[in-house]
Each structure stands twice: as structure tokens, then as C-alpha cells.
């Protein structure tokens, strides 16, 4: 017989809300009749109650330290423990430590790349969590003694070990506490599949250590570090599959890791979309073979399957792996880049919009003495700037971050929305100030083309199409703009121009809402 809610509330002097939270986070469990089980209550009083963190945060939904509140019993249904353990972690903790366990369907999709196995093939998940990849590897036919799983979370490892034991009837010595970021590891594996921690919040010392250790100009990011580690411990001709945030495949910070990866044979690329509950970030995976027979890659999105040439990605600016566009779209990109062009790199001065530090304090809707109008990103439309709604005191010393004042005061500057998935550019010849939702550039004299021509070009549908297909971003970054082809030759032969003229010049046409190369 369990214990009534009221008895627990009275004995511990807590509110109903607190009790509900403790049940929700598995500190206490209930039986079929809705009573608190005696077993969980005794354990709770002995091991958990009175620990300062729990008392301080009694009314919070989840707890910071799962080890103090999550009890793993060898006899529990380990599959259930795995689910409950993940549920017991707070969102903050999951994000801080990159703990999102991989859904079964995503692992199935990644494992489509597996060939027929031999009895000696070894499998590793170097950050195995509660063992989702390990259990799937068993199902796929890897021998239990050839399956390895490492992690730094002892609770998760205990659950992974229990799951493994319950699946094969004997314990594994290979599922253990190993931190590959810190430990030297000489063993190599035939197959490594994983979903590493994304965006683990390293402390300052770890950042310095890892920057020195991996010393290849990469951003110190947990997912990128794990990709590099895996490359070091995969057998020649072995297979590596990694599930990563979509940003890994296109942002400049990961350019050097993509460059290294693209020297290996890509086998498969999948867009898993928003695969994780509670996480907006899209998940993409790659599978590579550790050799270099560059060839066609199988690509899969929610709606289609097709192949892409690996060489396309190698030719892309920044080694962007934009596999969610089709072969035909990739051909248009190569076609566009085959036309004479320059880029903006080294041809302009760039400036950021103003960060006031406190908009409520520094902006006003009425004009006061010594105030100037200031525009926001959304005041910029294609080719025009709306009248600003706000004024700012004209004293840069009071503001948190500004570009050199002379840049804002240039005769002609080209301003663009910063937070946008479209290119939205306009010419400012009225020396306006802009907030940081807009950025700007000032063309060097006598280079390339006139400001008006650049504004026209950037706003065209074809440049927008190219920008989206290449960078798939919601921020218009200088580094991306500097990679776009600027067709300055077009303007030499076109005094008057419209978008249609540009399409003609580039030998492309619109077709079903997208573009194609004219026959
Ligand atoms: C995104 S979870 C994925 C877990 C498992 N691979 C899966 O797909 O279900 C990332 C895992 O990496 C672990 N982790 C974080 N830092 C680690 C490190 N330095 N070494 C090994 N594992 C680590 C976390 O504890 C967590 O279990």
C-alpha cells in the first residue's frame, strides 16, 4: 500500500505544487492507485531530501543535478529508464551539456548506409548517452562484444549498460566512462555512428586547452571536436556517421572541418528536419567512408531522394555542403559562377548598425535637441528607406557599440537588413544612422560598379535565389555577401536594365517559381 499525497505533504511541510513537481521529475513515483510508492518515498527521504539544491529549487520543474535525483535500478525496464531520464533533465541542462538523445527513426535512416557486416566489425558511439545507437547496432547484427559506447554521464552509462544487459543477457565491459576530448585513445573502430553534444558550454580553460589540442583553426565547438576525434579513430575504409546541427553544413566557422571531411568519400546525407522534441534546430547527418573515392552521394530530405556530386561541394564557397538542393539547382549555381564576376571581398568598407545598449533609454519617438533620426532594419525595403520612427541623441560616446561616425556620414552607403533570409538592399545618400538590425557597406572608389547598380543586383530574384540556396540563413552576413558573384560586366553593356535583362544576360529563365538554364 502506498502513501497518500496529504500524508507526504504534511510530513514534509510542502505545497501540492512542490509534490507534483517531485513526481513529475521522478523524485517520487506513484503506484496504480495514485499513491506515492513506499519504496520511492523511503529512498527520497534517505538520499535526496535535505540536499540543498533540491530544497532551494523545490518549486522548479526540474533539477540541476540529475545524479542526485535520478535513481537507476538494475531491475527497472531500462528502455523506460532511458526515456524517463531524458525527461528528468531540465531544458537548460540539456542545452548546456548538449544532451538530446537520438530518435529511433533518425538512427534507422543513418544506418541505411551500413553495408553487409562481417563478424569482426567493431562499432563505437563515443558519446553514447543512454545507448540508442548501441541498441540499434545490436539489432543490425554487430556482435555484442564488438560494440563500444563511451560517455561522461554516469547515470546515462548505467542506463545504457542496463539496456544492453537486458537485450543480450550479459554485461558489456565496453560501455564505460571515457572522455575522448581529454583522454588519449589508440584503438580504432570499423564503424562509428553518433550524435555528439551540440554546443556544449565549455569553460574558459577547456576552450584554451581544446583550441591548442585540436589546433586547426576551427571554432571550439563540441560537435566539430567530436567529428575530428572520430576521424582519428576510424579504421581505413571504415564508416563514420554523425548527426549534427544544420549550421555545421554551411556556416563559415566550420569551413575547415568541412574541408577535411570533403577529402573522404561521402556516402549519404540526410535532412532529418526538426528531429528533437523541444529543439527548433534542424538535424542533418552525414555518413562517410574513410577513403577518398569521391563520387555521387545519396541525399534524402523529408520529401525527396536524389544524388549529388561530391565535387559540387568541394567547389562551393566555404565548402558549403548545401545538399538540400537538387543536382539541377546545383548546376544553376555553377552556371552562374561560370559568368565573369568579381566579389565584394576587399572592395568595400563595411559597417555595423548601432548597438545602443538600452534602446528604451537612448531612443525616443519625438525629436529633441541634438537628436538625429535613426532607422531600423525593417525600415529598409528593396531600393527604398522608410521614414524613421525614432530619434537618437547624436553623441556616440554614450552608445555601447558604433562604427566610425564618418562611415555613417559617407556620401553614399549601401544599407541592408541584417536579420533576414532575403537580400534587402537600399542606397542611403542622406547620411542616416541605423540600428544594428541593419548593416552597411561603402564601395571603394572606382571599383566594380556604381552603388545603384549593386543595390539593383542584390535585390534581384536571381541573387536572392542564389543567396538562399547557398547559405540558407536568417542573417545576412558580410562573409556570405563577399562570396556572391557580382556580375559587373553586365552593367558595361546595359545602361538601362531590369531583372529580365539580367536573366537574359545570364541565359536563365524562371520556371515554376524557380530558375532553369535556357536551352
Ligand atoms: C546529444 S547526446 C547523444 C547521446 C547518444 N549518442 C544518442 O544519440 O542518443 C550527447 C551525449 O554526449 C555526452 N557527452 C558530452 N560531453 C562528452 C564528452 N566529453 N565525452 C563523451 N561524451 C560526452 C553527453 O553526456 C550526452 O550523453
Amino acid at each position: 500500500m502506498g502513501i497518500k499525497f496529504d500524508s507526504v505533504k504534511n510530513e514534509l511541510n510542502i505545497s501540492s505544487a512542490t509534490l507534483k513537481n517531485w513526481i513529475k521529475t521522478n523524485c517520487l513515483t506513484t503506484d496504480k492507485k495514485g499513491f506515492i510508492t513506499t519504496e520511492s518515498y523511503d529512498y527520497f527521504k534517505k538520499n535526496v531530501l535535505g540536499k540543498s539544491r533540491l530544497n532551494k529549487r523545490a518549486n522548479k520543474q526540474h533539477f540541476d543535478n540529475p545524479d542526485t535525483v535520478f535513481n537507476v535500478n538494475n531491475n527497472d525496464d531500462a528502455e523506460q529508464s532511458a526515456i524517463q531520464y531524458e525527461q528528468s533533465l531540465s531544458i537548460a541542462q540539456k542545452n548546456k551539456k548538449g544532451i538530446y538523445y537520438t530518435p529511433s527513426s533518425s538512427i534507422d535512416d543513418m544506418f541505411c548506409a551500413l553495408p553487409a557486416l562481417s563478424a569482426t566489425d567493431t562499432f563505437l558511439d563515443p558519446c553514447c548517452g543512454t545507448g540508442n545507437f548501441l541498441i540499434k547496432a545490436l539489432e543490425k547484427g554487430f556482435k555484442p562484444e564488438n560494440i563500444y559506447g563511451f560517455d561522461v554521464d554516469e547515470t546515462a552509462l548505467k542506463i545504457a549498460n542496463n539496456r544492453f544487459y537486458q537485450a543480450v543477457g550479459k554485461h558489456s565491459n565496453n560501455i564505460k566512462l571515457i572522455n575522448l576530448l581529454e583522454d588519449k585513445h589508440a584503438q580504432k573502430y570499423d564503424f562509428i555512428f553518433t550524435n555528439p553534444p551540440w554546443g556544449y558550454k565549455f569553460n574558459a580553460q577547456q576552450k584554451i586547452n581544446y583550441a591548442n589540442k585540436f589546433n586547426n583553426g576551427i571554432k571550439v565547438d563540441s560537435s566539430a571536436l567530436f567529428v575530428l576525434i572520430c576521424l582519428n579513430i576510424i579504421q581505413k575504409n571504415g564508416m563514420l556517421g554523425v548527426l549534427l546541427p544544420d549550421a555545421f553544413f554551411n556556416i563559415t566557422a566550420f569551413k575547415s572541418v568541412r574541408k577535411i571531411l570533403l577529402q573522404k568519400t561521402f556516402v549519404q546525407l540526410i535532412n532529418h528536419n526538426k528531429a528533437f522534441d523541444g529543439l527548433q534546430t534542424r538535424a542533418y547527418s552525414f555518413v562517410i567512408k574513410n577513403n577518398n573515392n569521391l563520387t555521387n552521394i545519396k541525399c534524402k530530405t523529408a520529401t525527396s531522394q536524389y544524388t549529388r556530386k561530391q565535387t559540387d561541394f568541394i567547389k562551393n564557397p566555404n565548402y558549403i555542403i548545401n545538399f538540400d538542393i537538387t543536382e539541377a539547382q546545383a548546376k544553376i549555381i555553377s552556371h552562374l559562377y561560370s559568368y565573369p564576376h568579381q566579389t565584394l571581398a576587399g572592395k568595400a568598407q563595411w559597417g555595423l548598425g548601432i548597438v545602443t545598449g538600452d534602446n528604451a533609454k537612448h531612443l525616443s519617438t519625438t525629436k529633441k535637441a541634438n537628436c538625429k533620426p535613426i532607422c531600423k532594419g525593417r525600415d529598409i525595403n528593396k531600393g527604398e528607406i522608410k521614414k524613421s520612427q525614432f530619434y537618437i541623441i547624436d553623441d556616440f560616446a554614450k552608445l555601447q557599440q558604433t562604427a566610425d561616425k564618418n562611415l555613417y556620414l559617407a556620401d553614399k552607403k549601401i544599407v541592408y537588413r541584417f536579420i533576414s533570409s532575403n537580400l534587402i538592399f537600399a542606397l542611403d545618400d542622406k547620411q542616416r544612422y541605423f540600428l544594428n538590425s541593419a548593416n552597411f557597406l561603402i564601395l571603394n572608389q572606382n571599383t566594380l560598379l556604381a552603388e545603384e547598380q549593386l543595390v539593383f543586383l542584390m535585390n534581384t530574384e536571381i541573387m536572392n535565389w542564389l543567396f538562399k540556396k547557398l547559405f540558407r540563413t536568417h542573417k545576412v552576413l558580410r562573409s556570405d555577401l563577399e562570396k556572391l558573384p557580382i556580375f559587373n560586366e553586365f552593367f558595361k553593356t546595359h545602361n538601362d536594365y531590369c531583372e529580365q535583362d539580367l536573366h537574359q544576360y545570364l541565359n536563365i529563365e524562371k520556371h515554376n517559381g524557380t530558375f532553369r538554364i535556357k536551352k
Side-chain angles (χ1 to χ4, degrees):
M1 172 78 179
I3 307 154
K4 284 185 181 160
F5 275 31
D6 279 345
S7 314
V8 173
K9 273 168 35 186
N10 291 340
E11 187 183 346
L12 302 183
N13 192 21
I14 54 165
S15 67
S16 300
T18 298
L19 182 57
K20 277 189 193 147
N21 280 335
W22 288 353
I23 294 168
K24 206 168 179 178
T25 51
N26 296 310
C27 298
L28 292 169
T29 49
T30 50
D31 61 19
K32 282 187 190 136
K33 292 188 177 149
F35 293 125
I36 309 286
T37 60
T38 317
E39 194 189 59
S40 76
Y41 190 46
D42 288 346
Y43 177 87
F44 182 77
K45 283 197 288 187
K46 193 163 157 231
N47 298 301
V48 181
L49 198 66
K51 301 255 159 77
S52 57
R53 195 182 295 277
L54 180 62
N55 279 347
K56 263 194 249 146
R57 303 188 45 145
N59 271 319
K60 293 265 194 266
Q61 260 197 347
H62 301 286
F63 305 103
D64 272 349
N65 186 348
D67 298 338
T68 59
V69 294
F70 197 88
N71 182 24
V72 184
N73 271 318
N74 291 351
N75 299 330
D76 289 346
D77 175 346
E79 294 291 325
Q80 278 306 314
S81 300
I83 296 165
Q84 286 166 355
Y85 178 55
E86 188 173 13
Q87 285 169 350
S88 79
L89 301 173
S90 70
I91 302 284
Q93 186 179 40
K94 288 174 76 165
N95 288 340
K96 193 169 158 210
K97 299 200 168 170
I99 303 180
Y100 283 87
Y101 299 136
T102 311
S104 174
S105 59
S106 295
I107 303 179
D108 286 338
D109 282 344
M110 290 172 76
F111 275 8
C112 281
L114 289 178
L117 301 175
S118 87
T120 55
D121 282 333
T122 49
F123 179 95
L124 167 71
D125 180 348
C127 23
C128 65
T130 51
N132 289 357
F133 277 92
L134 308 183
I135 299 298
K136 283 275 177 197
L138 264 179
E139 289 166 16
K140 278 284 167 189
F142 285 95
K143 290 260 161 33
E145 61 274 22
N146 292 340
I147 297 178
Y148 295 76
F150 308 147
D151 207 288
V152 288
D153 178 344
E154 292 191 57
T155 311
L157 281 170
K158 197 162 181 201
I159 295 169
N161 266 305
N162 281 352
R163 284 176 83 185
F164 206 82
Y165 176 76
Q166 288 172 14
V168 299
K170 54 182 178 193
H171 287 291
S172 167
N173 293 324
N174 302 335
I175 302 173
K176 54 191 169 192
L177 193 74
I178 291 187
N179 180 349
L180 286 183
L181 291 176
E182 303 283 347
D183 305 345
K184 280 212 167 77
H185 198 74
Q187 192 171 339
K188 296 209 170 197
Y189 302 85
D190 300 303
F191 293 86
I192 303 179
F193 276 71
T194 191
N195 162 17
W198 301 358
Y200 191 105
K201 304 281 180 292
F202 294 125
N203 63 36
Q205 192 53 51
Q206 284 172 318
K207 280 188 191 162
I208 295 168
N209 292 349
Y210 299 151
N212 289 336
K213 187 167 172 185
F214 296 95
N215 191 24
N216 65 351
I218 67 150
K219 180 177 153 73
V220 177
D221 169 274
S222 52
S223 50
L225 294 181
F226 268 100
V227 169
L228 292 175
I229 289 168
C230 290
L231 283 172
N232 281 336
I233 55 170
I234 187 81
Q235 291 281 14
K236 179 91 186 129
N237 295 318
M239 196 173 252
L240 169 65
V242 188
L243 188 77
L244 293 158
D246 60 348
F248 179 87
F249 293 75
N250 69 343
I251 69 168
T252 311
F254 300 119
K255 172 184 167 183
S256 53
V257 191
R258 288 195 294 269
K259 184 177 175 191
I260 297 168
L261 276 176
L262 281 167
Q263 290 160 17
K264 309 287 180 188
T265 307
F266 270 69
V267 177
Q268 175 182 284
L269 287 159
I270 299 180
N271 174 351
H272 300 261
N273 236 307
K274 293 179 186 166
F276 298 95
D277 281 345
L279 201 64
Q280 284 305 309
T281 314
R282 283 174 212 283
Y284 286 7
S285 67
F286 69 76
V287 176
I288 57 165
K289 266 192 111 174
N290 191 16
N291 56 35
N292 50 4
N293 308 319
L294 309 193
T295 167
N296 282 341
I297 309 167
K298 274 192 213 153
C299 299
K300 193 174 163 208
T301 69
T303 50
S304 51
Q305 295 194 34
Y306 44 89
T307 58
R308 289 285 311 272
K309 285 201 205 79
Q310 185 160 342
T311 44
D312 283 352
F313 304 133
I314 295 170
K315 280 191 245 156
N316 266 344
N318 287 345
Y319 303 96
I320 289 172
I321 303 177
N322 54 344
F323 71 92
D324 45 10
I325 66 168
T326 62
E327 185 73 56
Q329 291 168 332
K331 272 201 181 115
I332 301 176
I333 295 180
S334 304
H335 172 83
L336 293 175
Y337 272 94
S338 73
Y339 275 74
H341 65 269
Q342 303 243 10
T343 68
L344 287 172
K347 314 249 176 25
Q349 273 186 289
W350 298 79
L352 302 178
I354 292 168
V355 181
T356 63
D358 183 352
N359 281 355
K361 182 171 153 203
H362 293 284
L363 302 185
S364 71
T365 47
T366 49
K367 190 168 178 3
K368 297 182 191 146
N370 195 25
C371 273
K372 263 195 76 156
I374 185 159
C375 296
K376 297 187 171 187
R378 64 167 181 262
D379 295 328
I380 304 171
N381 286 329
K382 287 190 172 183
E384 61 161 23
I385 302 167
K386 283 198 288 185
K387 192 170 179 299
S388 71
Q389 308 286 313
F390 295 95
Y391 297 88
I392 189 165
I393 304 251
D394 194 2
D395 180 357
F396 277 24
K398 295 204 168 96
L399 303 173
Q400 187 176 315
Q401 194 184 307
T402 69
D404 180 342
K405 193 168 190 174
N406 290 328
L407 294 181
Y408 301 101
L409 300 179
D411 285 346
K412 284 183 176 184
K413 63 179 182 290
I414 296 169
V415 291
Y416 56 91
R417 282 195 202 177
F418 170 51
I419 306 294
S420 170
S421 45
N422 291 305
L423 297 174
I424 301 179
F425 278 63
L427 178 65
D428 172 36
D429 55 6
K430 298 207 164 46
Q431 296 75 50
R432 294 172 176 94
Y433 291 162
F434 285 86
L435 285 174
N436 60 334
S437 45
N439 289 329
F440 61 89
L441 65 110
I442 299 161
L443 279 178
N444 294 348
Q445 285 195 340
N446 303 326
T447 42
L448 293 179
L449 70 179
E451 285 80 1
E452 292 79 357
Q453 293 168 334
L454 184 61
V455 169
F456 158 80
L457 185 67
M458 289 305 206
N459 285 333
T460 56
E461 285 183 60
I462 184 64
M463 287 301 269
N464 269 274
W465 179 90
L466 180 60
F467 177 75
K468 283 187 189 171
K469 297 296 173 202
L470 274 179
F471 303 114
R472 234 179 10 81
T473 169
H474 302 296
K475 288 186 187 155
V476 179
L477 300 174
R478 168 184 170 179
S479 54
D480 292 344
L481 293 176
E482 287 186 327
K483 294 281 179 317
L484 288 175
I486 305 298
F487 302 111
N488 51 320
E489 297 284 321
F490 166 75
F491 298 100
K492 291 189 180 157
T493 48
H494 293 78
N495 287 329
D496 293 327
Y497 42 79
C498 65
E499 172 115 24
Q500 205 50 43
D501 299 330
L502 182 64
H503 293 180
Q504 194 128 20
Y505 170 80
L506 295 170
N507 200 35
I508 51 164
E509 61 189 356
K510 279 194 86 175
H511 177 69
N512 289 343
T514 178
F515 288 93
R516 70 179 179 191
I517 302 167
K518 274 197 204 161
K519 296 229 166 73

